[in-house]
Amino acid sequence: MAAAAVVPNKKVVLRRHVTGFPSKEDMEIVVDTVSLRVPEGQTAVLIKNLYLSCDPWMRDRMAASAALALGFAIGEALVNYGVGKVIDSTHPDGWEEYSLITQPESLKKINHTDVPLSHYTGVLCDWPHDCMHARKPFRHPPWFTFGSCMTGVTAYSGFMEVGKPKSGDFVFVSAASGAVGQVVGQLAKIAGCYVVGSAGSDKKVSLLKTKFGFDDAFNYKLEPDLTVALKRCLPNGIDIFFDNVGGATLDATLLHMRLSGRVVAYGMISQYNIKEPYGMRNLYTIILKAIRVEGINVIVNGEDGWDIKEGKVTVVEDVVQGIEKAPAALVGLFSGKNVGKQLVAIAKA
Amino acid sequence: MAAAAVVPNKKVVLRRHVTGFPSKEDMEIVVDTVSLRVPEGQTAVLIKNLYLSCDPWMRDRMAASAALALGFAIGEALVNYGVGKVIDSTHPDGWEEYSLITQPESLKKINHTDVPLSHYTGVLCDWPHDCMHARKPFRHPPWFTFGSCMTGVTAYSGFMEVGKPKSGDFVFVSAASGAVGQVVGQLAKIAGCYVVGSAGSDKKVSLLKTKFGFDDAFNYKLEPDLTVALKRCLPNGIDIFFDNVGGATLDATLLHMRLSGRVVAYGMISQYNIKEPYGMRNLYTIILKAIRVEGINVIVNGEDGWDIKEGKVTVVEDVVQGIEKAPAALVGLFSGKNVGKQLVAIAKA
């Protein structure tokens, strides 16, 4: 039996635990080697990684004490969802070019090949059906794991099942051009709602109006007072707030909710890198207006295939080429550098 | 036709708008007169008030700008739910001995007379079936009105429909010996839950354990750290938090919720009299644990008659005698002076 070829394997390794905003210096690129064959006697699968997903929640795992799942270890490759190709015997998850997967049962075969493969890191990631999920054991049951893999299904189930849109509802989406926001806005339009999004640049605002079909949008960085922007764009108030931002944005928007409004608490990116969370003062509105606030981190129902396959939903991805660019892409999420779902393309096939 | 008898009519009148904690001096007793016959040509009903309900939400209507409903006018009688008897032709609602009701269609006939009449101001107040509601028009649609009238139905629908208790669930009730808390605790036991309550005196704690069947209870005033008390009484965490207090209590309890926990936001008595609301810092837990927080102020479904009629639910009322005692009873709510549902008995029949 011929010896297996050994090739270089670049990885993004955690250099130090993160406090505050993550920086590129918290990570480093390390070049290791990998045998292109699964070691003899090992039940495993060797994956060539094609796309890796880049998501805000990874910040939590870079801290010394992670709240969501197992923290990343210093000196080890970061881990997240992705799409890959089986080389030797299926589970691309390490932030590395190749990954040896010893729990192949956790790999999910991709069934639909009529859309870009990259969509399977996000909008089409119908976990547990189609997605390959993290190799490392989680502190919580598997269905507690979350991240990019939730972009599609969770945007769908969060908006539809928690938001319960009715035709004519007024919908506000924060961080609306992001991986999740762009999908939610389009689902809202399909449901017959009036939808307004906020984003952090004029380019993104333009994208919301022209590409994703939002009825209105504003650049929150140019609005000294969110309340004024909301009153201008949504003078009748808000029935559904799909929130990716949290903190002051959530607090101000609560006051603008209508009776029996629904807040889908999907993300709080404003709160991830700060030591002292923002003090929310408008919670009493929840009682005054009989508002439901529901946190989403669970894939409640895998909806295998939906509007995207019928071409009803447009997806914008922000893809950087090469694993060397991964740390900057991850850091860029927190300053809103990305336009749409952030991905790292590792290899062509 | 003989002239109708004219009798004195004592009322509790608003003397000045309230800021901060209400005081007895914000109200005064005024003696007016009333004819015991409805004035000729007027479509109205004359009611002799028997019981008036005394509820925290009245504080809001005493402020210069009321958030919930029409504010009380200076010099006019306070208004709330009650039980009364028709003298001349039907709607006891004014904080006065007699009330002339010009919209008799808003009166609700009491159908069940096998329980104390006073229960109809609270636990049995099955609005819109059995309850007499406020005479004044509300700023919002009628189903937005709330107060004592919600004690029974809303405790029931809030706990059952929002809390969705399952046998074995861990339930925490704040202000548990109050009008709503005592009912919720008993409903939780009927549903097979393990239920813990907090209250502000050892007497109330004892009542929770001996009279209302709570599995455990603690005096929050003796607990320097709520988190420690919760960990001791509910080491496995909380599935349902029925909250009457809000603020720091809600913030601390959020951290102790279990995955997919439900928070029934029923009241925030800690926040009613303060200028700057407490800054809630633990909202991110909502996402981490996929928690649902739902505000209750609406009578969603009138459940006409339930466990109380079968003798399954015990009710403790704190009844003061005479309308002169009404201002002190109302003020006492905010220092936890009342034990159970606070009522004012006006007349025997």
Side-chain angles (χ1 to χ4, degrees):
Chain A
M1 189 176 174
V6 172
V7 298
N9 184 21
K10 278 188 217 164
K11 331 181 158 201
V12 179
V13 159
L14 187 67
R15 235 180 107 215
R16 61 186 180 209
H17 288 303
V18 174
T19 52
F21 277 84
S23 70
K24 284 197 278 182
E25 289 67 40
D26 294 325
M27 298 164 263
E28 64 184 327
I29 306 290
V30 168
V31 186
D32 199 354
T33 56
V34 65
S35 160
L36 291 182
R37 194 174 293 159
V38 174
E40 193 121 7
Q42 212 174 341
T43 305
V45 163
L46 185 73
I47 297 287
K48 185 176 184 185
N49 292 318
L50 304 180
Y51 292 101
L52 296 175
S53 179
C54 198
D55 303 284
W57 78 290
M58 296 174 73
R59 159 69 179 77
D60 177 68
R61 300 184 68 183
M62 297 168 82
S65 61
L68 299 175
L70 272 186
F72 296 136
I74 290 174
E76 283 193 19
L78 275 58
V79 169
N80 198 12
Y81 298 83
V83 171
K85 183 183 165 185
V86 177
I87 299 290
D88 187 26
S89 121
T90 327
H91 200 183
D93 57 355
W95 270 36
E96 55 194 351
E97 295 178 296
Y98 295 89
S99 300
L100 186 67
I101 308 296
T102 53
Q103 299 169 323
E105 65 280 5
S106 61
L107 292 171
K108 308 290 169 188
K109 191 162 172 284
I110 291 179
N111 297 316
H112 316 290
T113 51
D114 50 346
V115 291
L117 268 177
S118 59
H119 286 13
Y120 285 95
T121 61
V123 73
L124 271 186
C125 189
D126 294 342
W127 190 92
H129 305 304
D130 284 336
C131 177
M132 309 168 216
H133 70 277
R135 173 178 47 182
K136 290 198 177 180
F138 282 81
R139 188 179 297 159
H140 300 281
W143 46 271
F144 192 70
T145 67
F146 73 106
S148 67
C149 223
M150 293 174 67
T151 312
V153 177
T154 309
Y156 185 86
S157 72
F159 182 69
M160 300 304 279
E161 290 169 27
V162 175
K164 294 198 189 304
K166 296 184 303 292
S167 181
D169 273 357
F170 296 101
V171 176
F172 175 51
V173 183
S174 62
S177 71
V180 171
Q182 60 178 244
V183 173
V184 168
Q186 294 175 78
L187 293 176
K189 288 313 297 174
I190 292 169
C193 304
Y194 184 89
V195 59
V196 174
S198 68
S201 75
D202 290 346
K203 183 185 171 190
K204 291 177 183 179
V205 166
S206 160
L207 204 61
L208 290 177
K209 293 189 196 173
T210 57
K211 191 151 181 110
F212 300 128
F214 281 64
D215 295 290
D216 204 350
F218 62 87
N219 178 348
Y220 71 87
K221 290 183 180 167
L222 302 181
E223 300 285 346
D225 185 343
L226 179 59
T227 303
V228 171
L230 290 176
K231 280 189 178 160
R232 186 180 70 239
C233 297
L234 291 153
N236 298 309
I238 299 165
D239 294 295
I240 305 176
F241 176 32
F242 194 104
D243 186 23
N244 296 297
V245 172
T249 301
L250 174 55
D251 211 25
T253 307
L254 274 179
L255 291 181
H256 206 57
M257 297 297 294
R258 302 177 87 191
L259 211 57
S260 301
R262 289 82 72 198
V263 176
V264 186
Y266 187 91
M268 296 193 178
I269 199 168
S270 68
Q271 304 296 295
Y272 297 164
N273 304 308
I274 55 179
K275 274 195 176 148
E276 177 76 340
Y278 177 86
M280 301 264 308
R281 305 203 179 273
N282 299 329
L283 267 282
Y284 188 52
T285 314
I286 290 176
I287 297 184
L288 283 181
K289 302 270 186 75
I291 293 167
R292 178 160 47 87
V293 180
E294 198 159 341
I296 301 294
N297 76 32
V298 184
I299 295 177
V300 183
N301 296 306
E303 295 279 335
D304 188 67
W306 40 285
D307 298 324
I308 191 170
K309 281 192 262 163
E310 297 166 40
K312 287 189 191 160
V313 173
T314 300
V315 176
V316 168
E317 293 167 343
D318 192 330
V319 186
V320 298
Q321 302 291 334
I323 196 161
E324 300 83 354
K325 302 262 181 68
L330 180 57
V331 170
L333 290 176
F334 297 98
S335 57
K337 208 167 147 277
N338 60 305
V339 180
K341 166 81 184 173
Q342 182 70 61
L343 290 177
V344 184
I346 307 296
K348 292 287 184 202
Chain B
M1 188 176 169
V6 172
V7 298
N9 186 21
K10 277 189 217 163
K11 329 180 159 200
V12 178
V13 159
L14 187 68
R15 237 180 104 215
R16 60 183 181 212
H17 288 301
V18 174
T19 53
F21 276 84
S23 70
K24 284 195 280 181
E25 290 65 43
D26 296 324
M27 296 163 267
E28 64 184 327
I29 306 290
V30 168
V31 186
D32 199 355
T33 56
V34 65
S35 159
L36 290 183
R37 194 176 293 160
V38 174
E40 193 122 4
Q42 210 174 342
T43 306
V45 163
L46 186 72
I47 297 286
K48 185 174 185 189
N49 292 318
L50 304 180
Y51 290 101
L52 296 174
S53 179
C54 198
D55 302 284
W57 78 291
M58 295 175 74
R59 159 68 179 77
D60 177 67
R61 298 184 69 183
M62 296 168 80
S65 61
L68 299 175
L70 273 187
F72 297 136
I74 289 174
E76 284 194 19
L78 274 57
V79 170
N80 198 11
Y81 298 83
V83 170
K85 182 182 165 186
V86 176
I87 299 291
D88 188 26
S89 120
T90 338
H91 201 188
D93 58 355
W95 269 36
E96 54 194 352
E97 294 177 294
Y98 295 87
S99 300
L100 186 68
I101 308 299
T102 53
Q103 299 168 322
E105 66 280 3
S106 61
L107 292 171
K108 308 293 170 186
K109 191 160 173 283
I110 291 180
N111 296 317
H112 317 290
T113 52
D114 51 345
V115 291
L117 269 176
S118 60
H119 285 13
Y120 286 93
T121 62
V123 73
L124 270 187
C125 187
D126 292 342
W127 189 90
H129 306 304
D130 283 336
C131 177
M132 308 168 215
H133 70 277
R135 172 179 48 182
K136 292 197 178 181
F138 281 82
R139 188 178 301 159
H140 300 279
W143 45 270
F144 192 72
T145 66
F146 73 105
S148 67
C149 222
M150 292 174 67
T151 312
V153 177
T154 309
Y156 186 85
S157 72
F159 182 69
M160 300 304 278
E161 289 169 29
V162 175
K164 294 199 190 302
K166 296 184 302 293
S167 180
D169 274 357
F170 296 102
V171 176
F172 175 52
V173 183
S174 62
S177 70
V180 171
Q182 61 178 243
V183 173
V184 169
Q186 294 175 78
L187 292 174
K189 288 313 298 173
I190 292 169
C193 304
Y194 184 89
V195 59
V196 174
S198 68
S201 74
D202 288 345
K203 182 185 173 189
K204 292 177 182 177
V205 166
S206 161
L207 205 61
L208 291 177
K209 293 190 197 173
T210 58
K211 191 152 182 110
F212 300 127
F214 281 63
D215 294 291
D216 205 350
F218 61 87
N219 179 346
Y220 71 87
K221 290 182 179 167
L222 301 181
E223 300 284 347
D225 185 344
L226 179 60
T227 303
V228 171
L230 290 175
K231 280 190 178 159
R232 185 181 71 239
C233 297
L234 290 154
N236 298 309
I238 298 164
D239 295 294
I240 304 176
F241 176 32
F242 195 102
D243 186 24
N244 296 294
V245 172
T249 301
L250 175 54
D251 211 27
T253 307
L254 275 178
L255 291 180
H256 206 57
M257 296 298 292
R258 302 178 88 190
L259 210 58
S260 300
R262 288 83 73 198
V263 176
V264 186
Y266 188 90
M268 296 192 178
I269 199 169
S270 69
Q271 305 296 294
Y272 297 163
N273 303 308
I274 55 179
K275 275 196 177 146
E276 177 76 338
Y278 178 87
M280 300 264 309
R281 304 201 180 274
N282 298 328
L283 267 282
Y284 188 52
T285 313
I286 290 176
I287 297 184
L288 284 180
K289 302 270 186 76
I291 292 167
R292 178 160 46 86
V293 180
E294 199 159 339
I296 301 294
N297 76 34
V298 185
I299 294 177
V300 182
N301 296 306
E303 294 280 336
D304 188 70
W306 39 286
D307 297 324
I308 191 171
K309 280 192 264 163
E310 298 166 38
K312 286 188 190 162
V313 173
T314 299
V315 176
V316 168
E317 293 166 342
D318 193 330
V319 187
V320 298
Q321 301 291 334
I323 197 161
E324 299 84 353
K325 302 261 182 69
L330 181 57
V331 170
L333 290 176
F334 297 98
S335 58
K337 207 167 147 280
N338 61 307
V339 180
K341 167 79 185 174
Q342 183 69 62
L343 290 176
V344 184
I346 307 296
K348 292 286 182 202

